[in-house]
Amino acid sequence: MSAKSAISKEIFAPLDERMLGAVQVKRRTKKKIPFLATGGQGEYLTYICLSVTNKKPTQASITKVKQFEGSTSFVRRSQWMLEQLRQVNGIDPNRDSAEFDLLFENAFDQWVASTASEKCTFFQILHHTCQRYLTDRKPEFINCQSKIMGGNSILHSAADSVTSAVQKASQALNERGERLGRAEEKTEDLKNSAQQFAETAHKVH
């Protein structure tokens, strides 16, 4: 059984919760060191997990889970409701980076994921979960690659394109209407001039 499957079974299932995703992390240091499977100090492994309750109304939360060296079990540590998440920082939008920051109402953590792809997958799940379960205040995603936002960025782009097309069409219609209006004015002027000419010619005769 993989570590994530074990976490889901041991930590979340007993509380009638469903784990949506998890990412193995270690804290960032000023001096970057290679990611170690032992969690840096050889003392424990750390996982950031995203879960939701099975009971309605659905509540989503982010939980820090640890596995201490020499133990096969997992321990639940800090936990935040998804509503407390204020900002997700992907650090670099132009390349695959394993680094990221999470800013909560009362906490700020700087992490390095085991791999950039694992971070990307977790971010995609996190972004989708925020869009689905948070209605009022959603966290800000900054410095994230476009692929992390998944289909939403595509939808927003498509919506922007449609809006732009509608605006252009509306502008074109307005311009056309103005041209028609000017043409009608010119036609009316010509009619008046012709009528005046006819009346003048009639008086002369």
Side-chain angles (χ1 to χ4, degrees):
M1 181 184 294
S2 69
K4 293 177 183 178
S5 297
I7 291 172
S8 178
K9 183 178 180 180
E10 289 182 31
I11 300 296
F12 298 104
L15 298 178
D16 198 24
E17 293 181 24
R18 180 164 48 94
M19 191 177 83
L20 302 178
V23 57
Q24 186 180 343
V25 298
K26 68 178 181 65
R27 291 192 180 279
R28 284 213 308 277
T29 57
K30 292 183 179 180
K31 180 181 178 181
K32 293 184 180 180
I33 57 175
F35 182 88
L36 302 178
T38 55
Q41 301 298 321
E43 298 175 351
Y44 54 80
L45 297 177
T46 303
Y47 296 86
I48 303 297
C49 308
L50 178 65
S51 65
V52 293
T53 58
N54 290 319
K55 292 182 179 179
K56 306 292 184 180
T58 303
Q59 297 291 321
S61 60
I62 295 175
T63 306
K64 190 188 301 179
V65 174
K66 293 186 177 182
Q67 181 184 32
F68 290 90
E69 189 177 24
S71 174
T72 57
S73 61
F74 297 88
V75 181
R76 182 192 293 257
R77 289 306 195 194
S78 307
Q79 185 177 45
W80 300 269
M81 300 306 294
L82 195 59
E83 290 86 350
Q84 294 177 289
L85 181 62
R86 291 288 170 259
Q87 186 184 84
V88 179
N89 189 342
I91 306 300
D92 193 337
N94 300 315
R95 66 180 180 88
D96 291 333
S97 169
E99 299 180 349
F100 66 95
D101 297 342
L102 295 179
L103 174 64
F104 296 92
E105 285 182 350
N106 57 354
F108 175 66
D109 286 321
Q110 296 178 307
W111 301 107
V112 180
S114 57
T115 65
S117 61
E118 188 178 5
K119 165 199 159 182
C120 179
T121 300
F122 181 75
F123 269 34
Q124 288 173 335
I125 297 171
L126 179 59
H127 183 263
H128 174 76
T129 304
C130 290
Q131 298 303 312
R132 181 174 181 181
Y133 294 109
L134 296 182
T135 54
D136 297 329
R137 185 175 181 180
K138 296 180 175 63
E140 180 186 22
F141 281 74
I142 64 172
N143 299 321
C144 294
Q145 292 176 293
S146 58
K147 63 182 178 181
I148 286 174
M149 302 306 174
N152 287 309
S153 60
I154 297 173
L155 289 174
H156 288 318
S157 177
D160 291 341
S161 297
V162 170
T163 302
S164 176
V166 170
Q167 290 175 342
K168 288 180 180 178
S170 177
Q171 183 178 355
L173 285 172
N174 288 335
E175 290 176 354
R176 185 179 178 186
E178 290 175 1
R179 287 198 298 270
L180 286 173
R182 287 195 295 269
E184 289 177 354
E185 289 176 1
K186 289 182 179 179
T187 301
E188 192 65 30
D189 289 342
L190 288 173
K191 283 182 179 179
N192 291 335
S193 297
Q195 186 175 358
Q196 290 175 358
F197 178 79
E199 290 175 354
T200 302
H202 180 72
K203 289 178 181 179
V204 169
H205 287 296

Short mmCIF file of all heavy atoms in Angstrom, two decimals, residues 50-105:
data_model
loop_
_atom_site.label_atom_id
_atom_site.label_comp_id
_atom_site.label_asym_id
_atom_site.label_seq_id
_atom_site.Cartn_x
_atom_site.Cartn_y
_atom_site.Cartn_z
N LEU A 50 -5.23 17.18 1.44
CA LEU A 50 -6.50 17.89 1.19
C LEU A 50 -7.63 16.87 1.29
O LEU A 50 -7.60 15.83 0.64
CB LEU A 50 -6.48 18.53 -0.19
CG LEU A 50 -7.74 19.26 -0.64
CD1 LEU A 50 -8.01 20.48 0.25
CD2 LEU A 50 -7.62 19.70 -2.10
N SER A 51 -8.62 17.17 2.12
CA SER A 51 -9.72 16.23 2.33
C SER A 51 -11.06 16.94 2.41
O SER A 51 -11.12 18.15 2.66
CB SER A 51 -9.49 15.41 3.60
OG SER A 51 -9.53 16.26 4.74
N VAL A 52 -12.12 16.17 2.24
CA VAL A 52 -13.49 16.68 2.39
C VAL A 52 -14.30 15.70 3.21
O VAL A 52 -14.01 14.50 3.23
CB VAL A 52 -14.17 16.90 1.02
CG1 VAL A 52 -13.50 18.01 0.24
CG2 VAL A 52 -14.20 15.61 0.21
N THR A 53 -15.31 16.22 3.89
CA THR A 53 -16.20 15.35 4.67
C THR A 53 -17.20 14.68 3.73
O THR A 53 -17.59 15.26 2.71
CB THR A 53 -16.95 16.15 5.74
OG1 THR A 53 -17.71 17.20 5.08
CG2 THR A 53 -15.98 16.79 6.72
N ASN A 54 -17.63 13.49 4.10
CA ASN A 54 -18.64 12.80 3.30
C ASN A 54 -20.04 13.30 3.62
O ASN A 54 -20.95 13.20 2.81
CB ASN A 54 -18.56 11.28 3.53
CG ASN A 54 -17.30 10.67 2.92
OD1 ASN A 54 -16.91 11.03 1.81
ND2 ASN A 54 -16.66 9.76 3.64
N LYS A 55 -20.20 13.84 4.84
CA LYS A 55 -21.50 14.35 5.24
C LYS A 55 -21.73 15.75 4.67
O LYS A 55 -20.81 16.53 4.52
CB LYS A 55 -21.59 14.39 6.78
CG LYS A 55 -21.61 13.01 7.43
CD LYS A 55 -21.74 13.14 8.94
CE LYS A 55 -21.77 11.75 9.59
NZ LYS A 55 -21.87 11.85 11.08
N LYS A 56 -22.98 16.04 4.37
CA LYS A 56 -23.36 17.36 3.87
C LYS A 56 -23.71 18.28 5.03
O LYS A 56 -24.25 17.82 6.03
CB LYS A 56 -24.56 17.24 2.91
CG LYS A 56 -24.36 16.26 1.77
CD LYS A 56 -23.30 16.76 0.78
CE LYS A 56 -23.19 15.82 -0.41
NZ LYS A 56 -22.19 16.25 -1.38
N PRO A 57 -23.47 19.58 4.99
CA PRO A 57 -22.75 20.24 3.90
C PRO A 57 -21.26 19.88 3.92
O PRO A 57 -20.68 19.73 5.00
CB PRO A 57 -22.97 21.73 4.18
CG PRO A 57 -23.17 21.79 5.66
CD PRO A 57 -23.89 20.53 6.04
N THR A 58 -20.68 19.74 2.76
CA THR A 58 -19.29 19.31 2.65
C THR A 58 -18.33 20.36 3.20
O THR A 58 -18.44 21.54 2.90
CB THR A 58 -18.95 19.04 1.17
OG1 THR A 58 -19.86 18.06 0.66
CG2 THR A 58 -17.53 18.50 1.04
N GLN A 59 -17.41 19.90 4.03
CA GLN A 59 -16.37 20.77 4.59
C GLN A 59 -15.02 20.28 4.08
O GLN A 59 -14.71 19.10 4.16
CB GLN A 59 -16.40 20.72 6.12
CG GLN A 59 -17.68 21.25 6.75
CD GLN A 59 -17.81 22.75 6.57
OE1 GLN A 59 -16.83 23.49 6.66
NE2 GLN A 59 -19.04 23.22 6.31
N ALA A 60 -14.22 21.20 3.55
CA ALA A 60 -12.90 20.84 3.04
C ALA A 60 -11.83 21.36 3.99
O ALA A 60 -11.98 22.42 4.59
CB ALA A 60 -12.68 21.42 1.64
N SER A 61 -10.74 20.61 4.12
CA SER A 61 -9.68 21.02 5.03
C SER A 61 -8.31 20.60 4.51
O SER A 61 -8.20 19.69 3.68
CB SER A 61 -9.91 20.44 6.43
OG SER A 61 -9.94 19.03 6.38
N ILE A 62 -7.29 21.28 5.01
CA ILE A 62 -5.90 20.96 4.69
C ILE A 62 -5.23 20.50 5.98
O ILE A 62 -5.28 21.21 7.00
CB ILE A 62 -5.17 22.17 4.10
CG1 ILE A 62 -5.79 22.54 2.74
CG2 ILE A 62 -3.68 21.89 3.94
CD1 ILE A 62 -5.21 23.82 2.13
N THR A 63 -4.62 19.33 5.94
CA THR A 63 -4.05 18.73 7.14
C THR A 63 -2.58 18.38 6.94
O THR A 63 -2.20 17.86 5.89
CB THR A 63 -4.82 17.44 7.52
OG1 THR A 63 -6.22 17.73 7.62
CG2 THR A 63 -4.33 16.89 8.85
N LYS A 64 -1.79 18.67 7.96
CA LYS A 64 -0.38 18.29 7.94
C LYS A 64 -0.26 16.94 8.66
O LYS A 64 -0.66 16.80 9.82
CB LYS A 64 0.46 19.35 8.64
CG LYS A 64 1.97 19.16 8.49
CD LYS A 64 2.74 20.13 9.38
CE LYS A 64 2.40 21.58 9.05
NZ LYS A 64 3.13 22.54 9.93
N VAL A 65 0.26 15.96 7.95
CA VAL A 65 0.39 14.61 8.50
C VAL A 65 1.87 14.21 8.51
O VAL A 65 2.60 14.49 7.56
CB VAL A 65 -0.42 13.59 7.65
CG1 VAL A 65 -0.16 12.16 8.13
CG2 VAL A 65 -1.90 13.91 7.72
N LYS A 66 2.30 13.56 9.61
CA LYS A 66 3.70 13.15 9.72
C LYS A 66 3.83 11.65 9.96
O LYS A 66 2.95 11.03 10.56
CB LYS A 66 4.38 13.92 10.85
CG LYS A 66 4.53 15.41 10.58
CD LYS A 66 5.35 16.11 11.65
CE LYS A 66 5.54 17.59 11.31
NZ LYS A 66 6.38 18.29 12.30
N GLN A 67 4.93 11.11 9.47
CA GLN A 67 5.28 9.72 9.74
C GLN A 67 6.70 9.71 10.31
O GLN A 67 7.65 10.06 9.61
CB GLN A 67 5.22 8.87 8.47
CG GLN A 67 5.55 7.40 8.72
CD GLN A 67 5.59 6.58 7.44
OE1 GLN A 67 5.96 7.09 6.38
NE2 GLN A 67 5.20 5.31 7.53
N PHE A 68 6.81 9.33 11.56
CA PHE A 68 8.12 9.37 12.22
C PHE A 68 8.96 8.16 11.84
O PHE A 68 8.44 7.08 11.56
CB PHE A 68 7.93 9.46 13.73
CG PHE A 68 7.40 10.79 14.17
CD1 PHE A 68 6.04 11.02 14.27
CD2 PHE A 68 8.27 11.84 14.46
CE1 PHE A 68 5.54 12.26 14.66
CE2 PHE A 68 7.79 13.08 14.86
CZ PHE A 68 6.42 13.29 14.95
N GLU A 69 10.25 8.38 11.84
CA GLU A 69 11.19 7.34 11.43
C GLU A 69 11.03 6.09 12.30
O GLU A 69 10.91 6.15 13.52
CB GLU A 69 12.63 7.87 11.57
CG GLU A 69 13.67 6.94 10.97
CD GLU A 69 15.08 7.54 11.05
OE1 GLU A 69 15.31 8.40 11.92
OE2 GLU A 69 15.92 7.17 10.23
N GLY A 70 10.99 4.95 11.64
CA GLY A 70 10.85 3.70 12.35
C GLY A 70 9.42 3.29 12.63
O GLY A 70 9.16 2.22 13.18
N SER A 71 8.46 4.15 12.25
CA SER A 71 7.05 3.86 12.48
C SER A 71 6.34 3.66 11.14
O SER A 71 6.67 4.31 10.15
CB SER A 71 6.39 5.00 13.25
OG SER A 71 5.00 4.79 13.34
N THR A 72 5.37 2.78 11.13
CA THR A 72 4.59 2.56 9.90
C THR A 72 3.27 3.32 9.95
O THR A 72 2.52 3.32 8.98
CB THR A 72 4.28 1.06 9.73
OG1 THR A 72 3.59 0.58 10.90
CG2 THR A 72 5.57 0.26 9.54
N SER A 73 2.98 3.96 11.08
CA SER A 73 1.72 4.70 11.21
C SER A 73 1.92 6.18 10.96
O SER A 73 3.04 6.69 10.95
CB SER A 73 1.12 4.48 12.62
OG SER A 73 2.02 4.96 13.60
N PHE A 74 0.82 6.88 10.79
CA PHE A 74 0.84 8.30 10.50
C PHE A 74 0.15 9.07 11.62
O PHE A 74 -0.76 8.57 12.29
CB PHE A 74 0.14 8.58 9.16
CG PHE A 74 0.82 7.95 7.99
CD1 PHE A 74 0.51 6.65 7.61
CD2 PHE A 74 1.80 8.63 7.28
CE1 PHE A 74 1.15 6.04 6.54
CE2 PHE A 74 2.45 8.04 6.20
CZ PHE A 74 2.12 6.74 5.83
N VAL A 75 0.58 10.32 11.82
CA VAL A 75 0.05 11.16 12.89
C VAL A 75 -0.48 12.47 12.31
O VAL A 75 0.21 13.14 11.54
CB VAL A 75 1.15 11.47 13.94
CG1 VAL A 75 0.56 12.32 15.06
CG2 VAL A 75 1.75 10.19 14.48
N ARG A 76 -1.71 12.81 12.70
CA ARG A 76 -2.30 14.08 12.27
C ARG A 76 -1.72 15.22 13.09
O ARG A 76 -1.70 15.16 14.32
CB ARG A 76 -3.82 14.02 12.45
CG ARG A 76 -4.55 15.28 11.99
CD ARG A 76 -6.00 15.23 12.47
NE ARG A 76 -6.75 14.18 11.83
CZ ARG A 76 -7.63 14.37 10.84
NH1 ARG A 76 -7.84 15.59 10.40
NH2 ARG A 76 -8.29 13.36 10.33
N ARG A 77 -1.25 16.26 12.41
CA ARG A 77 -0.71 17.43 13.10
C ARG A 77 -1.63 18.62 12.89
O ARG A 77 -2.80 18.56 13.22
CB ARG A 77 0.71 17.72 12.60
CG ARG A 77 1.75 16.70 13.06
CD ARG A 77 1.74 16.53 14.56
NE ARG A 77 2.93 15.84 15.06
CZ ARG A 77 3.03 15.35 16.28
NH1 ARG A 77 2.03 15.45 17.11
NH2 ARG A 77 4.14 14.74 16.67
N SER A 78 -1.11 19.70 12.35
CA SER A 78 -1.92 20.91 12.15
C SER A 78 -3.02 20.68 11.12
O SER A 78 -2.86 19.88 10.18
CB SER A 78 -1.03 22.06 11.71
OG SER A 78 0.06 22.22 12.59
N GLN A 79 -4.11 21.41 11.30
CA GLN A 79 -5.21 21.33 10.34
C GLN A 79 -5.87 22.70 10.19
O GLN A 79 -6.02 23.44 11.16
CB GLN A 79 -6.26 20.31 10.79
CG GLN A 79 -7.38 20.11 9.75
CD GLN A 79 -8.38 19.04 10.17
OE1 GLN A 79 -8.81 19.00 11.31
NE2 GLN A 79 -8.72 18.17 9.24
N TRP A 80 -6.22 23.04 8.94
CA TRP A 80 -6.90 24.30 8.65
C TRP A 80 -8.12 24.01 7.79
O TRP A 80 -8.09 23.13 6.92
CB TRP A 80 -5.99 25.26 7.88
CG TRP A 80 -4.73 25.63 8.59
CD1 TRP A 80 -4.53 26.71 9.42
CD2 TRP A 80 -3.47 24.95 8.52
NE1 TRP A 80 -3.23 26.72 9.88
CE2 TRP A 80 -2.56 25.66 9.34
CE3 TRP A 80 -3.02 23.81 7.86
CZ2 TRP A 80 -1.23 25.26 9.50
CZ3 TRP A 80 -1.70 23.40 8.03
CH2 TRP A 80 -0.83 24.12 8.84
N MET A 81 -9.17 24.75 8.01
CA MET A 81 -10.31 24.69 7.10
C MET A 81 -9.91 25.38 5.81
O MET A 81 -9.12 26.33 5.82
CB MET A 81 -11.54 25.37 7.71
CG MET A 81 -12.00 24.75 9.03
SD MET A 81 -12.29 22.97 8.88
CE MET A 81 -13.69 22.94 7.74
N LEU A 82 -10.46 24.93 4.71
CA LEU A 82 -10.10 25.51 3.41
C LEU A 82 -10.42 27.00 3.36
O LEU A 82 -9.74 27.77 2.68
CB LEU A 82 -10.83 24.77 2.28
CG LEU A 82 -10.30 25.01 0.86
CD1 LEU A 82 -8.84 24.61 0.76
CD2 LEU A 82 -11.15 24.25 -0.16
N GLU A 83 -11.45 27.42 4.12
CA GLU A 83 -11.82 28.84 4.16
C GLU A 83 -10.71 29.71 4.74
O GLU A 83 -10.66 30.92 4.51
CB GLU A 83 -13.09 29.03 4.99
CG GLU A 83 -14.36 28.50 4.36
CD GLU A 83 -14.58 27.03 4.66
OE1 GLU A 83 -13.65 26.38 5.20
OE2 GLU A 83 -15.68 26.52 4.36
N GLN A 84 -9.81 29.10 5.51
CA GLN A 84 -8.72 29.85 6.14
C GLN A 84 -7.53 30.05 5.20
O GLN A 84 -6.63 30.83 5.51
CB GLN A 84 -8.25 29.12 7.40
CG GLN A 84 -9.29 29.07 8.51
CD GLN A 84 -8.78 28.27 9.71
OE1 GLN A 84 -8.64 27.06 9.66
NE2 GLN A 84 -8.47 28.98 10.79
N LEU A 85 -7.54 29.37 4.07
CA LEU A 85 -6.45 29.52 3.11
C LEU A 85 -6.61 30.83 2.35
O LEU A 85 -7.64 31.08 1.73
CB LEU A 85 -6.46 28.34 2.13
CG LEU A 85 -5.35 28.32 1.06
CD1 LEU A 85 -3.98 28.24 1.71
CD2 LEU A 85 -5.56 27.13 0.11
N ARG A 86 -5.59 31.68 2.40
CA ARG A 86 -5.67 32.99 1.78
C ARG A 86 -4.90 33.08 0.47
O ARG A 86 -5.30 33.77 -0.46
CB ARG A 86 -5.15 34.05 2.76
CG ARG A 86 -6.07 34.26 3.95
CD ARG A 86 -7.33 34.98 3.51
NE ARG A 86 -8.34 34.99 4.56
CZ ARG A 86 -9.37 34.18 4.60
NH1 ARG A 86 -9.52 33.27 3.66
NH2 ARG A 86 -10.26 34.27 5.55
N GLN A 87 -3.76 32.41 0.40
CA GLN A 87 -2.95 32.53 -0.81
C GLN A 87 -2.14 31.26 -1.06
O GLN A 87 -1.63 30.64 -0.13
CB GLN A 87 -1.99 33.72 -0.67
CG GLN A 87 -1.20 34.04 -1.94
CD GLN A 87 -0.21 35.18 -1.71
OE1 GLN A 87 0.90 34.96 -1.22
NE2 GLN A 87 -0.63 36.40 -2.03
N VAL A 88 -2.05 30.89 -2.33
CA VAL A 88 -1.23 29.76 -2.77
C VAL A 88 -0.21 30.32 -3.75
O VAL A 88 -0.57 30.86 -4.79
CB VAL A 88 -2.09 28.67 -3.46
CG1 VAL A 88 -1.21 27.52 -3.94
CG2 VAL A 88 -3.17 28.16 -2.52
N ASN A 89 1.06 30.21 -3.40
CA ASN A 89 2.14 30.80 -4.22
C ASN A 89 2.95 29.69 -4.87
O ASN A 89 3.61 28.90 -4.20
CB ASN A 89 3.04 31.66 -3.33
CG ASN A 89 4.04 32.48 -4.14
OD1 ASN A 89 4.31 32.19 -5.30
ND2 ASN A 89 4.59 33.50 -3.52
N GLY A 90 2.90 29.64 -6.20
CA GLY A 90 3.63 28.62 -6.94
C GLY A 90 5.09 28.97 -7.20
O GLY A 90 5.81 28.22 -7.84
N ILE A 91 5.52 30.15 -6.74
CA ILE A 91 6.90 30.63 -6.78
C ILE A 91 7.36 31.04 -8.18
O ILE A 91 7.85 32.13 -8.40
CB ILE A 91 7.90 29.61 -6.20
CG1 ILE A 91 7.46 29.22 -4.77
CG2 ILE A 91 9.31 30.19 -6.19
CD1 ILE A 91 7.38 30.36 -3.80
N ASP A 92 7.21 30.15 -9.18
CA ASP A 92 7.71 30.46 -10.53
C ASP A 92 6.71 29.98 -11.59
O ASP A 92 6.52 28.78 -11.77
CB ASP A 92 9.06 29.79 -10.76
CG ASP A 92 9.77 30.32 -12.01
OD1 ASP A 92 9.08 30.83 -12.92
OD2 ASP A 92 11.00 30.20 -12.09
N PRO A 93 6.05 30.93 -12.31
CA PRO A 93 5.06 30.55 -13.30
C PRO A 93 5.67 30.10 -14.63
O PRO A 93 4.95 29.62 -15.51
CB PRO A 93 4.25 31.84 -13.49
CG PRO A 93 5.25 32.93 -13.24
CD PRO A 93 6.16 32.40 -12.16
N ASN A 94 6.99 30.25 -14.78
CA ASN A 94 7.63 29.99 -16.07
C ASN A 94 8.37 28.66 -16.15
O ASN A 94 8.91 28.32 -17.20
CB ASN A 94 8.60 31.12 -16.40
CG ASN A 94 7.90 32.47 -16.46
OD1 ASN A 94 6.83 32.59 -17.07
ND2 ASN A 94 8.48 33.48 -15.83
N ARG A 95 8.42 27.93 -15.05
CA ARG A 95 9.12 26.64 -15.09
C ARG A 95 8.53 25.69 -14.06
O ARG A 95 7.81 26.11 -13.15
CB ARG A 95 10.61 26.82 -14.82
CG ARG A 95 10.94 27.30 -13.41
CD ARG A 95 12.44 27.47 -13.20
NE ARG A 95 12.74 27.93 -11.84
CZ ARG A 95 12.93 27.12 -10.80
NH1 ARG A 95 12.85 25.80 -10.97
NH2 ARG A 95 13.20 27.61 -9.60
N ASP A 96 8.84 24.40 -14.21
CA ASP A 96 8.40 23.41 -13.24
C ASP A 96 9.23 23.55 -11.97
O ASP A 96 10.43 23.29 -11.98
CB ASP A 96 8.55 22.00 -13.80
CG ASP A 96 7.57 21.73 -14.93
OD1 ASP A 96 6.49 22.36 -14.94
OD2 ASP A 96 7.88 20.89 -15.80
N SER A 97 8.61 23.98 -10.91
CA SER A 97 9.30 24.19 -9.64
C SER A 97 8.61 23.39 -8.55
O SER A 97 7.38 23.30 -8.50
CB SER A 97 9.30 25.68 -9.27
OG SER A 97 9.73 25.86 -7.94
N ALA A 98 9.40 22.80 -7.67
CA ALA A 98 8.85 22.01 -6.56
C ALA A 98 8.51 22.88 -5.36
O ALA A 98 7.89 22.42 -4.40
CB ALA A 98 9.83 20.91 -6.16
N GLU A 99 8.91 24.14 -5.39
CA GLU A 99 8.70 25.03 -4.25
C GLU A 99 7.31 25.67 -4.28
O GLU A 99 6.78 25.96 -5.35
CB GLU A 99 9.76 26.13 -4.25
CG GLU A 99 11.19 25.62 -4.13
CD GLU A 99 12.20 26.75 -4.12
OE1 GLU A 99 11.80 27.89 -4.42
OE2 GLU A 99 13.38 26.49 -3.82
N PHE A 100 6.77 25.89 -3.09
CA PHE A 100 5.50 26.61 -2.99
C PHE A 100 5.28 27.11 -1.58
O PHE A 100 5.89 26.61 -0.62
CB PHE A 100 4.31 25.73 -3.43
CG PHE A 100 4.02 24.55 -2.53
CD1 PHE A 100 3.07 24.63 -1.53
CD2 PHE A 100 4.69 23.34 -2.71
CE1 PHE A 100 2.77 23.55 -0.71
CE2 PHE A 100 4.42 22.25 -1.90
CZ PHE A 100 3.45 22.35 -0.89
N ASP A 101 4.42 28.12 -1.46
CA ASP A 101 4.06 28.70 -0.15
C ASP A 101 2.55 28.59 0.04
O ASP A 101 1.78 28.72 -0.92
CB ASP A 101 4.44 30.18 -0.07
CG ASP A 101 5.94 30.40 -0.18
OD1 ASP A 101 6.70 29.44 0.04
OD2 ASP A 101 6.34 31.55 -0.46
N LEU A 102 2.16 28.38 1.30
CA LEU A 102 0.74 28.39 1.66
C LEU A 102 0.55 29.43 2.76
O LEU A 102 1.21 29.36 3.81
CB LEU A 102 0.28 27.02 2.16
CG LEU A 102 0.30 25.87 1.15
CD1 LEU A 102 -0.16 24.57 1.82
CD2 LEU A 102 -0.56 26.17 -0.06
N LEU A 103 -0.34 30.39 2.52
CA LEU A 103 -0.63 31.43 3.49
C LEU A 103 -2.05 31.24 4.03
O LEU A 103 -3.03 31.28 3.28
CB LEU A 103 -0.50 32.81 2.85
CG LEU A 103 -0.91 34.01 3.71
CD1 LEU A 103 0.01 34.13 4.92
CD2 LEU A 103 -0.87 35.29 2.89
N PHE A 104 -2.14 31.02 5.36
CA PHE A 104 -3.43 30.87 6.02
C PHE A 104 -3.70 32.11 6.87
O PHE A 104 -2.86 33.00 6.98
CB PHE A 104 -3.43 29.62 6.92
CG PHE A 104 -3.27 28.33 6.17
CD1 PHE A 104 -2.01 27.78 5.97
CD2 PHE A 104 -4.37 27.66 5.66
CE1 PHE A 104 -1.85 26.58 5.29
CE2 PHE A 104 -4.23 26.46 4.96
CZ PHE A 104 -2.96 25.93 4.78
N GLU A 105 -4.87 32.17 7.48
CA GLU A 105 -5.21 33.31 8.33
C GLU A 105 -4.20 33.47 9.46
O GLU A 105 -3.87 34.58 9.85
CB GLU A 105 -6.62 33.12 8.91
CG GLU A 105 -7.74 33.37 7.91
CD GLU A 105 -9.10 33.21 8.55
OE1 GLU A 105 -9.16 32.74 9.71
OE2 GLU A 105 -10.10 33.54 7.91
#
